[in-house]
Every structure is written in structure tokens, then in C-alpha cells.
Amino acid sequence: MTEQKQPVSLASLLTPSKTVAVDFPTLEGFSVQLCYLAREELIKLRSRCVSQKLNKRTRAFEETLDETKFLTEYCKAVIKGWKGLKYKYLEELLLVDISGLNPEDELEFSVENAETLMKNGSDFDTWVTEVTGDLENFTKTK
């Protein structure tokens, strides 16, 4: 007797997010815990940062994205941690004065530090956006 297989629902297989460690190019030993967000999660995040304002001239509501709030929410959602971010590396990512610090010591991860790096380090911001936007970075098995 042949056993009947139950059809699998694709929706039941979906995962809203996945976190992986990704090495930052050119900065040896610096890796970032990045979280892939499904499209639906990104839409929810964006909608939390949008407000509706009435345009008096057109008498229509217009969406306004609060970019500062979006960056804060995005950082919290996608950057889950890092290791190996030496103070000397900061000089390659943004304009800093590390003269009072040991360049080999590491900057601890915090949401605030991640947000500051995203706001002021365009190379880091671009890299995070590219890595988290490419599903392949989260599906390949190592």
C-alpha cells in the first residue's frame, strides 16, 4: 500500500529573518552579525517610519518617511552584533580621533555604535545594505 504525501504549503516554510556572520572586506578580523529580513518584515519596518500629512495645496494625504527613525529601526533590525572592529579600522570607515586610544583595542558593539557607524560611514552603510539585500548571503551553507 502506497502512503499518500500531504502537500506542503510554501507559506509554512517561510522564515521572517535569519542572522549570519559576514566578514567585512578589507578589514581583517572584523565580522558583523547581519540579519536578513523578508520583504514583508521590511515593509512593516518602513510603515512604522511613515506618517501621513495633508498637503493643503492638493488636499491629498502624502506619505513622509522619517529617515532618522527608519535608520534607527533598520539598524536595530539588521545589525545584531560585531567582533573585531579595532579602533584603527574606524579611521578607514569615518572621520574619528582615536589619539587617546590603543588602535588595536576593539570598539564594543551597541545599537548606538552601529547607528553612528551607519549614519557617518557611507562605505559601511552601503556594504550592510548590499549584503542584507542579497538573499544568497543567507542561504548558502558554509
Side-chain angles (χ1 to χ4, degrees):
M1 185 165 153
T2 318
E3 196 176 312
Q4 287 262 324
K5 284 188 178 180
Q6 291 285 30
V8 175
S9 163
L10 179 56
S12 72
L13 301 176
L14 290 176
T15 280
S17 65
K18 182 178 180 183
T19 303
V20 297
V22 183
D23 294 334
F24 188 87
T26 72
L27 302 179
E28 190 177 328
F30 176 39
S31 82
V32 184
Q33 290 281 330
L34 293 173
C35 180
Y36 177 85
L37 296 178
R39 185 175 184 274
E40 186 177 337
E41 295 300 309
L42 273 172
I43 290 169
K44 285 180 193 174
L45 189 148
R46 184 184 181 280
S47 69
R48 289 195 301 269
C49 304
V50 169
S51 60
Q52 298 278 338
K53 292 187 179 170
L54 181 65
N55 180 327
K56 292 179 182 177
R57 190 175 49 77
T58 63
R59 293 192 176 136
F61 281 97
E62 296 177 350
E63 275 190 359
T64 308
L65 178 67
D66 181 337
E67 292 183 25
T68 304
K69 183 177 180 184
F70 179 78
L71 185 65
T72 300
E73 293 293 320
Y74 184 74
C75 285
K76 280 189 218 169
V78 301
I79 303 174
K80 299 300 185 183
W82 65 50
K83 66 177 184 181
L85 181 53
K86 296 178 180 181
Y87 289 120
K88 68 180 183 181
Y89 292 162
L90 293 174
E91 293 179 311
E92 296 181 42
L93 297 169
L94 61 165
L95 190 60
V96 291
D97 176 8
I98 62 162
S99 58
L101 300 166
N102 177 345
E104 292 298 319
D105 285 346
E106 294 180 11
L107 178 69
E108 296 260 335
F109 171 80
S110 71
V111 173
E112 183 181 284
N113 283 343
E115 204 177 313
T116 301
L117 191 51
M118 285 287 282
K119 280 182 184 169
N120 299 286
S122 61
D123 287 348
F124 184 75
D125 181 352
T126 301
W127 177 77
V128 167
T129 304
E130 286 175 358
V131 170
T132 56
D134 186 354
L135 180 62
E136 188 177 297
N137 292 315
F138 300 87
T139 58
K140 59 186 174 194
T141 50
K142 294 179 180 179

